[in-house]
Amino acid sequence: MSDNKQTETTRNDTAMLPAVNVIEDSNGITLTADLPGVPKDQLLLQVEADTLTIEGEITLSVPQSMDANHIEVSLPRYRRVFTLSKELDPGKVSAEFNQGVLKLRIPKAAHAQPRKVTINVA
């Protein structure tokens, strides 16, 4: 799996890159992405061919009676795109989203799984 690190743009807006950890084991990979402030209904996961896209939108609201003097989060959108290796099975991706942390599990394809070879006696 590789990260497409070009500038991420969507709907003519630049997006923040969420922090992501990728851990591989013998059965596949586990990807965790930090998406603070993104509600579940504003989270989009898409797998198309060998491309995984994670997008999330934050609602940044300031009450009408107040003015923001300092804003550190100036982009209301997260976006990250990954290219999945041929060893992974994009049809079996599972996802959990809890308190702003997205956890994806992508298993290895059957052809990439370790398998035991039977030894015949001649």
Side-chain angles (χ1 to χ4, degrees):
M1 185 165 108
S2 64
D3 189 3
N4 296 338
K5 284 214 171 201
Q6 72 256 12
T7 303
E8 298 293 350
T9 56
T10 176
R11 290 186 234 151
N12 299 322
D13 293 325
T14 303
M16 294 185 290
L17 293 173
V20 173
N21 292 326
V22 179
I23 299 168
E24 182 176 3
D25 61 30
S26 61
N27 297 315
I29 63 167
T30 301
L31 181 146
T32 55
D34 291 332
L35 301 160
V38 176
K40 183 181 176 197
D41 65 339
Q42 293 296 312
L43 180 60
L44 171 70
L45 296 176
Q46 184 173 349
V47 177
E48 186 175 334
D50 65 347
T51 302
L52 167 68
T53 303
I54 301 170
E55 288 186 90
E57 194 158 330
I58 306 167
T59 302
L60 299 173
S61 60
V62 177
Q64 288 183 342
S65 62
M66 302 177 104
D67 290 328
N69 291 332
H70 179 78
I71 297 176
E72 290 189 0
V73 178
S74 59
L75 300 171
R77 184 172 292 114
Y78 289 102
R79 181 175 165 89
R80 196 88 182 245
V81 178
F82 296 91
T83 301
L84 302 176
S85 77
K86 299 296 181 198
E87 291 183 352
L88 298 174
D89 187 346
K92 294 186 178 175
V93 176
S94 63
E96 296 175 20
F97 189 59
N98 188 19
Q99 297 184 352
V101 177
L102 174 66
K103 182 177 180 180
L104 298 175
R105 180 69 186 158
I106 308 171
K108 286 187 179 177
H111 68 81
Q113 292 280 348
R115 63 183 181 92
K116 188 174 183 178
V117 176
T118 303
I119 302 171
N120 296 319
V121 178

